[in-house]
Amino acid sequence: MYENRVDTLRGTFKDLGTDAFWIIQPENRRYLSGFKAPDGQLTESSGSLLITLDEALLITDSRYTTQAEKEVQGFEIVTQKGGFVEELSNTLRRLGTKRLGFEGGHLVWELFEEVKEKLSRQSPPIDLVPLKGVVEEIREIKEPDEIEILRRSAELMSDVLGRVIAELEPGQSEREAAWKIETLIREQGAEESSFPPIVASGPNSALPHAVPTERTLREGEPILLDVGAKLDGYCSDMTRTVFLGGASDNFKEIYMTVREAQLSAFKSVKPGMMTAEADSIARDHIAKAGYGDYFGHSLGHGIGLAPHEIPAVSPLRPKPLREGMVFTIEPGIYLPGKGGVRLEEMVLLGRDGAELITTNKDFYSF
C-alpha cells in the first residue's frame, strides 16, 4: 500500500520539476510511510521523509528510531547524529539532489531560512522548490481500507454521541458534557478526539467554533454538539443540535431550514459536480428562507487522516467532486446573541451519489 502511494507521488516529479521531495507534514508522512509518531509542537518534528525516483528515506532522531523500524517498510531509516539541517544536507549530497521540493505550507520560516542557507553553500547548490497540496491531492480519493476505517470511526462517534445526547439534562455544564464525550471516545477504543469537542448552548451556539464553558444547559435552548473521534489515525466529524423540553417556534423553523438544506445537498451531490455548486444548493435554500446572512462558513470539507482536508465544499476555489471522496455536509444558521443550529454528516461519494457514513439514529427530532 505504501509503496503504491510513493510510486504515485514519484509520478508527479516530472511535472513538478524536482528530483526529490521533502515531506514534513505529519499526516502526509504517515500516509506515505506508515510512521505514526506525532509532532510534539509546530517547531518540533518526529521525522521527515525524503523521496527520490529511486530511494525513500525517513530521517528521525534516536527518540523515534525503534518506532520507525517497527512501523515503516520500504524506507531507509536514517538516525541523525547531530542537528537535523546537517543530516539533511549530507543526505541530499549523497543522493545527488539538485532540486528539492518541499511542503511550503508546513515549513516554519526559521527552519526554511536555515535549510536554504545551508543548501545554497553546497557545491553545486541545491534549489528549494515550494510545493502546495501535492500529497493532499493524492489523499483526496480514499482507498477501500481507508473507507472502512472511516466507517468504523464514524460509527464509534455516532454511538458515543447518541449516549451523550440521551443523558443531557438541565443544569449540566457545557464542559461536563464535553468531558463525557472525550471520556467515552477513549473508552470505546479511539486514540483521541479528532479535535476538542464543541458543546455550546443558548447564545454560545451562535459561535460556530465555540469553546465549552461552565454555562449550564437549559430547556428550550439550542445545544450544539460538534464532535469527532480518531480511530487508527482516521478522523470522524459530526454535529447535532438538540433541544431539551422542545424548541421555540422560531428555532423549529431554523432547524427545519437547516435540515432541508442539508438533505437537498445530500441528495444532489454527485461526481463531476463542482464544489461551489454543491455549496450553493444548501446556501440558496437557507437564503430563500431569509437566513442567508447567517450562514457564514462553507458547506463542508474533506476528512481522513486530518479532520479538515481537501476538498473544501465551498464557493471558493471550485473543483469537481470525485468518486471516492469522503467529506462533510454541514449547513448552519447562527443568530448572534440568540443561538445557532448546525447539522453535520460524513458522506462517501459513490458513482451515483452520496452515501451516509455517520448514523442518524433519533437525532432529528425535537
Side-chain angles (χ1 to χ4, degrees):
M1 178 175 64
Y2 298 114
E3 183 179 354
N4 290 339
R5 293 172 179 176
V6 170
D7 284 344
T8 299
L9 178 63
R10 284 170 170 152
T12 68
F13 280 21
K14 184 176 181 180
D15 291 336
L16 298 175
T18 62
D19 52 9
F21 203 155
W22 176 25
I23 305 293
I24 56 177
Q25 206 266 6
E27 286 80 20
N28 290 343
R29 185 177 60 212
R30 177 169 181 165
Y31 180 80
L32 292 168
S33 72
F35 186 49
K36 299 176 183 178
D39 290 349
Q41 55 191 20
L42 184 63
T43 56
E44 182 181 354
S45 174
S46 62
S48 296
L49 305 183
L50 273 179
I51 297 173
T52 71
L53 288 174
D54 301 312
E55 299 192 57
L57 305 89
L58 187 154
I59 301 176
T60 187
D61 61 59
S62 59
R63 296 173 299 170
Y64 300 103
T65 301
T66 300
Q67 179 179 351
E69 290 173 344
K70 289 181 178 180
E71 294 177 346
V72 177
Q73 296 181 359
F75 280 72
E76 175 188 345
I77 309 301
V78 177
T79 302
Q80 62 190 60
K81 297 179 174 59
F84 169 75
V85 175
E86 186 68 29
E87 190 70 56
L88 176 67
S89 173
N90 292 339
T91 303
L92 291 171
R93 184 183 296 110
R94 172 166 65 87
L95 295 173
T97 301
K98 297 178 181 178
R99 289 176 58 81
L100 176 65
F102 71 95
E103 298 174 301
H106 300 283
L107 184 60
V108 296
W109 181 256
E110 184 176 13
L111 180 56
F112 168 75
E113 287 287 281
E114 190 176 350
V115 170
K116 180 181 178 182
E117 193 276 335
K118 182 70 174 179
L119 299 186
S120 68
R121 291 192 285 108
Q122 291 194 186
S123 182
I126 297 174
D127 293 331
L128 281 169
V129 182
L131 302 173
K132 180 180 180 180
V134 178
V135 181
E136 287 85 348
E137 290 281 352
I138 300 172
R139 285 168 50 195
E140 197 173 37
I141 304 301
K142 301 302 187 280
E143 299 164 354
D145 287 348
E146 293 181 286
I147 292 170
E148 177 57 32
I149 300 173
L150 285 165
R151 288 186 192 278
R152 292 194 288 113
S153 180
E155 181 180 2
L156 184 153
M157 191 66 256
S158 298
D159 289 343
V160 166
L161 190 54
R163 291 173 58 182
V164 170
I165 288 175
E167 296 175 11
L168 292 176
E169 57 185 17
Q172 186 179 20
S173 74
E174 295 170 351
R175 284 180 179 166
E176 286 176 321
W179 178 245
K180 186 171 185 178
I181 292 167
E182 289 258 27
T183 301
L184 289 175
I185 283 172
R186 293 176 183 270
E187 287 180 351
Q188 294 303 307
E191 298 139 44
E192 58 183 341
S193 299
S194 301
F195 49 87
I198 296 172
V199 179
S201 63
N204 292 347
S205 62
L207 307 173
H209 280 187
V211 176
T213 70
E214 289 300 327
R215 189 183 192 280
T216 57
L217 310 184
R218 304 171 193 178
E219 290 191 356
E221 293 185 335
I223 305 168
L224 189 152
L225 304 99
D226 186 348
V227 297
K230 184 175 287 188
L231 183 68
D232 293 340
Y234 284 81
C235 300
S236 51
D237 187 4
M238 60 189 298
T239 305
R240 301 289 182 261
T241 304
V242 299
F243 298 82
L244 300 178
S248 67
D249 289 343
N250 182 224
F251 268 110
K252 284 183 179 180
E253 177 191 0
I254 291 170
Y255 186 100
M256 291 311 300
T257 299
V258 172
R259 179 59 172 153
E260 290 163 359
Q262 184 188 45
L263 284 171
S264 180
F266 172 73
K267 293 176 180 178
S268 301
V269 292
K270 57 185 178 181
M273 176 181 283
M274 300 300 289
T275 51
E277 181 183 353
D279 177 276
S280 69
I281 292 169
R283 195 169 303 279
D284 290 349
H285 183 88
I286 290 173
K288 287 176 183 176
Y291 296 102
D293 292 338
Y294 304 103
F295 177 24
H297 56 74
S298 63
L299 177 63
H301 56 84
I303 187 165
L305 285 168
H308 279 212
E309 299 186 351
I310 56 174
V313 189
S314 160
L316 305 176
R317 295 182 292 278
K319 67 184 303 181
L321 294 171
R322 296 189 290 160
E323 184 178 350
M325 288 179 170
V326 175
F327 54 90
T328 66
I329 297 178
E330 49 177 305
I333 295 174
Y334 311 91
L335 304 181
K338 296 181 180 179
V341 172
R342 178 165 71 253
L343 301 172
E344 177 182 20
E345 303 287 4
M346 289 171 58
V347 301
L348 166 66
L349 194 61
R351 182 180 306 171
D352 300 318
E355 175 192 347
L356 195 66
I357 292 183
T358 38
T359 304
N360 277 315
K361 296 187 178 293
D362 298 321
F363 294 134
Y364 294 116
S365 63
F366 299 107

